[in-house]
Amino acid sequence: MTRGMTDTEKPMAAGVFGFLSHWFPGRRNTPGQYLVVSALMAVALAMRFAIAPLDGGVQYVTFFPAVALAAVLGGLWPGLFAAAIGMTLATYLFWPPYQAWSFDFQRHMMISNVVFLIDALLVCSAIETMHRYYQRFVALEKEQRLAASVFHNSEEGVMITDTTGTIHSVNPAFTKITGYAADEVIGKTPSVLRSGHHEAGYFKAIWDSLVRDRRWEGEIWNRRKNGETYVQWTIINAVPGNDGKPVNYVCVFHDISERRRVEQVLHENAERLQAHMENSPMAIIGWDSEFKTTQWSGEAERIFGWSAAETLGKPIMDLHMIVEEDIPHVQQAMAKMLDGASRYVISSNRNHTKDGRVIHCVWYNSVLTTEDGRMTSVMSQVLDVTEQKHAERELKRIAQTDMLTGLANRRHFMELAELELSRACRYGDPLTVLMLDIDQFKRVNDTHGHQTGDRVIQSVGRLCHETLREVDVIGRIGGEE
């Protein structure tokens, strides 16, 4: 079994390896490193002369520690380089005949040199392994810090459970959305949030999906601590263990109550529009075979502003009620009606009103034809959908925009970033990604309050928007990032 570092050992190890690896920050050795090793061996030689005379034996007494230190500083190859220098110096200086080369004494020194080299190889290999282990340890801790930062700063709620559904951990966004603090839910199951909106079979289907696909995504109605029900979009993923079986489940969710409220408003508007259509509150406009106005209802006057007296008998193009860019589209719809190919043509275009406004209208055109297919008249029911268009744009804006800064939210930014990355890869264009993080932001919140913190984030977002180009993509990932 292996034992991880204790809290006391971690800073000590980080300090020792951080100081020593200052000389050799990467695993790629450089000539400068070997110069340092050479200087280190020169110091070891001087110490050997200080300890004993040439014929005093103990040839490697200072060289071996120098080899170990060289390996600590640079790894395997600098350590072996030091060992080679040590063997050369010991053979030449400290073995008779001293300071001379001889085949006889080389044979005598062979065993000592081999033992020294084997010891050096073992020590350097062990230290190199320690280097690699430390680098992996640093990388792992960096990943853990990054994961923890994402976990704590995400605006989406995160809940981690074991395979029995017992909650192990939640992030601050979970508390913000549900109202439950971490110590109020850890050790319990997600049923503490259950609103009663779903039947038991709904959750069984979720569990079956997790067992089958290791993932589930959909809507869940839950209840906050204050009793308020809300709907959240939920993504649950299984976390596999070494054997491939799930060991945890990670649930990521965000509150979509506002979006559902807007969708409900849109749905209700659509139902009202349908009811109005059934009760003929839509503008009714009649045209003859030459598209001259034959009928102009009171609802048409209300929508467009012109009275019947101002429009009857005039061709559609003479009314100047079609936005110029949409004229080709309208002419295409008119051509379909003239050739009798379709008895019911729907078109949507922008129209001018008498007071100069531009409105969006849907035209439901019923075509009457003769037996030989010639058009005789058209009855158009016109629906003003300007408010609906605005609501759709607003819904899209809410879904894509960070409400605090007005920049792209995390999801929309990631979508745009993926598109830019694909474009850059396809055309070989350069792509730069820059992440900004506000220093001491927590202190600003703690000292001056969250409203001040929000203003700081807004100012940074505004500065980025004013500084960068229109083609650049700017987004708020979460928190002050």
Side-chain angles (χ1 to χ4, degrees):
M1 297 179 62
T2 59
R3 180 180 68 88
M5 290 188 179
T6 65
D7 293 339
T8 303
E9 293 170 337
K10 287 180 181 179
M12 293 175 60
V16 171
F17 278 97
F19 172 76
L20 294 177
S21 62
H22 171 73
W23 294 93
F24 306 93
R27 303 311 305 154
R28 180 181 177 183
N29 300 122
T30 63
Q33 297 174 357
Y34 291 100
L35 289 176
V36 174
V37 172
S38 300
L40 181 64
M41 295 305 295
V43 173
L45 177 62
M47 294 178 63
R48 168 60 183 82
F49 280 123
I51 292 174
L54 289 177
D55 58 353
V58 292
Q59 294 89 344
Y60 306 105
V61 66
T62 58
F63 295 152
F64 193 80
V67 169
L69 185 56
V72 170
L73 292 174
L76 177 64
W77 295 111
L80 293 181
F81 177 69
I85 294 176
M87 285 191 301
T88 302
L89 293 176
T91 302
Y92 179 74
L93 296 174
F94 303 117
W95 196 267
Y98 303 104
Q99 298 183 11
W101 295 104
S102 168
F103 290 105
D104 291 337
F105 82 75
Q106 284 185 352
R107 288 194 295 271
H108 295 138
M109 282 291 294
M110 184 177 296
I111 295 178
S112 297
N113 283 336
V114 168
V115 172
F116 176 74
L117 180 61
I118 292 175
D119 288 343
L121 181 61
L122 292 175
V123 170
C124 292
S125 299
I127 293 176
E128 173 71 15
T129 302
M130 293 173 61
H131 268 286
R132 296 178 183 273
Y133 169 78
Y134 177 72
Q135 293 298 327
R136 290 196 297 269
F137 169 76
V138 170
L140 180 60
E141 282 209 333
K142 183 178 180 180
E143 290 180 1
Q144 290 176 340
R145 287 195 300 269
L146 179 60
S149 176
V150 173
F151 179 79
H152 288 288
N153 295 320
S154 172
E155 290 192 350
E156 294 186 325
V158 180
M159 175 175 62
I160 302 175
T161 73
D162 60 19
T163 54
T164 66
T166 302
I167 300 173
H168 282 194
S169 180
V170 297
N171 71 340
F174 175 95
T175 301
K176 181 179 178 180
I177 295 173
T178 67
Y180 287 96
D183 57 2
E184 294 178 302
V185 295
I186 291 178
K188 300 180 181 179
T189 65
S191 61
V192 69
L193 303 173
R194 189 169 296 180
S195 65
H197 182 85
H198 304 288
E199 297 180 355
Y202 187 80
F203 295 101
K204 183 179 183 301
I206 294 177
W207 182 255
D208 291 342
S209 178
L210 288 174
V211 172
R212 181 180 64 255
D213 304 325
R214 306 289 179 88
R215 174 184 171 85
W216 181 85
E217 182 174 355
E219 293 182 357
I220 296 180
W221 282 88
N222 276 335
R223 189 183 304 277
R224 307 187 206 272
K225 184 178 179 180
N226 62 7
E228 175 188 357
T229 60
Y230 69 99
V231 60
Q232 64 184 41
W233 185 259
T234 307
I235 301 175
I236 306 175
N237 286 290
V239 179
N242 294 331
D243 57 359
K245 297 180 179 179
V247 294
N248 290 102
Y249 292 102
V250 178
C251 171
V252 180
F253 63 92
H254 60 277
D255 187 350
I256 60 171
S257 300
E258 178 63 18
R259 190 180 79 183
R260 287 297 300 271
R261 185 190 68 80
V262 174
E263 290 175 349
Q264 182 65 24
V265 170
L266 290 175
H267 180 70
E268 293 174 356
N269 286 343
E271 287 186 342
R272 282 196 292 269
L273 290 173
Q274 182 64 31
H276 292 328
M277 184 181 298
E278 292 174 355
N279 296 325
S280 298
M282 302 169 66
I284 306 298
I285 303 175
W287 315 92
D288 64 12
S289 59
E290 297 178 350
F291 284 101
K292 292 180 180 180
T293 310
T294 59
Q295 185 176 354
W296 190 269
S297 68
E299 189 66 15
E301 180 176 348
R302 187 193 69 79
I303 292 176
F304 297 104
W306 289 286
S307 66
E310 294 174 301
T311 59
L312 291 177
K314 293 183 179 181
I316 184 172
M317 293 302 175
D318 290 350
L319 297 176
H320 303 292
M321 60 183 296
I322 304 172
V323 173
E324 184 176 357
E325 291 82 357
D326 292 355
I327 290 178
H329 174 70
V330 174
Q331 289 175 334
Q332 184 179 8
M334 292 170 63
K336 290 182 180 179
M337 291 182 272
L338 283 170
D339 63 17
S342 178
R343 294 186 177 183
Y344 193 67
V345 178
I346 302 176
S347 63
S348 176
N349 57 268
R350 293 169 296 170
N351 293 103
H352 291 295
T353 63
K354 185 177 180 179
D355 59 7
R357 293 181 296 111
V358 175
I359 61 175
H360 291 264
C361 293
V362 178
W363 294 68
Y364 298 88
N365 305 291
S366 175
V367 183
L368 296 181
T369 61
T370 61
E371 292 182 357
D372 58 1
R374 290 184 297 109
M375 185 191 80
T376 58
S377 64
V378 176
M379 183 65 69
S380 299
Q381 301 179 69
V382 185
L383 179 63
D384 181 359
V385 294
T386 305
E387 292 184 3
Q388 185 176 348
K389 290 288 186 180
H390 291 334
E392 290 175 354
R393 286 196 293 268
E394 179 64 14
L395 179 61
K396 184 177 181 180
R397 186 188 68 81
I398 291 175
Q400 297 180 342
T401 305
D402 174 68
M403 293 296 102
L404 179 60
T405 62
L407 304 176
N409 60 20
R410 178 189 182 91
R411 175 171 296 180
H412 187 47
F413 175 81
M414 290 303 181
E415 293 173 351
L416 296 176
E418 288 180 359
L419 291 176
E420 288 298 317
L421 179 59
S422 299
R423 181 189 61 78
C425 292
R426 180 177 181 182
Y427 296 106
D429 293 336
L431 179 66
T432 301
V433 179
L434 174 65
M435 174 172 282
L436 301 179
D437 188 25
I438 303 175
D439 291 339
Q440 306 298 328
F441 182 74
K442 184 177 184 301
R443 183 178 297 177
V444 173
N445 276 335
D446 294 341
T447 305
H448 303 285
H450 288 279
Q451 290 184 348
T452 300
D454 288 347
R455 289 197 294 271
V456 170
I457 293 178
Q458 289 171 339
S459 298
V460 174
R462 185 166 53 252
L463 179 61
C464 291
H465 182 74
E466 294 172 354
T467 303
L468 297 179
R469 304 169 301 175
E470 291 185 0
V471 296
D472 295 326
V473 179
I474 315 169
R476 182 185 178 202
I477 302 302
E480 73 274 21
E481 296 177 348

